[in-house]
Amino acid sequence: QVQLVESGGGLVQAGGSLRLSCATSGRTFRRHAMGWFRQAPGKEREFVASIDWSAIPYYADSVKGRFTISRDDAKNTVYLQMNSLKPGDTAVYYCAGSGLEYHAASSLRDRYDYWGQGTQVTVSS
């Protein structure tokens, strides 16, 4: 059974930092793109960041320069370092994995086949 389990969410003040982790199991994602998405109450799930199989990152404009995505394939884990957090970053953050090998990372939800349950990030002003 394939599992993606997010952790590291919580409550932080504006300007603070959090590091999210996504631990994968049940299959390897070493040759697959991984992504982070988020969903705020009443809004669509939106792209945050992705990283392809060769560790090239891509970011939404709203988080560029503040967030960093990385992967440690030896640990089967993907990370999202979030700095300079803003109240607008408040959302449930989801990890996603592509089922296709050696494909480019994407900002599109339907390019990802596996999803975690999400972790809540709340940024207070």
Side-chain angles (χ1 to χ4, degrees):
Q1 182 181 0
V2 178
Q3 286 191 311
L4 283 67
V5 180
E6 303 95 336
S7 61
L11 173 64
V12 64
Q13 288 189 329
S17 298
L18 284 173
R19 187 195 197 200
L20 305 184
S21 298
C22 172
T24 68
S25 62
R27 65 163 293 166
T28 181
F29 286 96
R30 296 187 178 202
R31 298 176 291 277
H32 303 72
M34 301 293 294
W36 286 96
F37 291 75
R38 66 186 182 187
Q39 187 167 17
K43 294 188 176 181
E44 294 281 321
R45 191 172 298 188
E46 65 175 5
F47 169 73
V48 176
S50 60
I51 187 166
D52 72 10
W53 59 272
S54 65
I56 296 176
Y58 303 89
Y59 299 97
D61 288 343
S62 59
V63 306
K64 203 172 293 184
R66 300 188 297 123
F67 291 11
T68 302
I69 188 171
S70 61
R71 62 191 300 160
D72 185 339
D73 291 328
K75 295 183 178 180
N76 297 315
T77 302
V78 178
Y79 304 97
L80 185 68
Q81 177 66 44
M82 305 187 296
N83 298 328
S84 302
L85 283 161
K86 305 174 182 179
D89 294 318
T90 295
V92 177
Y93 282 70
Y94 297 90
C95 176
S98 170
L100 299 175
E101 293 185 352
Y102 301 119
H103 272 231
S106 174
S107 61
L108 302 177
R109 286 176 293 173
D110 62 6
R111 299 295 176 88
Y112 296 90
D113 304 284
Y114 304 95
W115 291 84
Q117 293 300 305
T119 185
Q120 176 71 46
V121 171
T122 303
V123 184
S124 63
S125 56

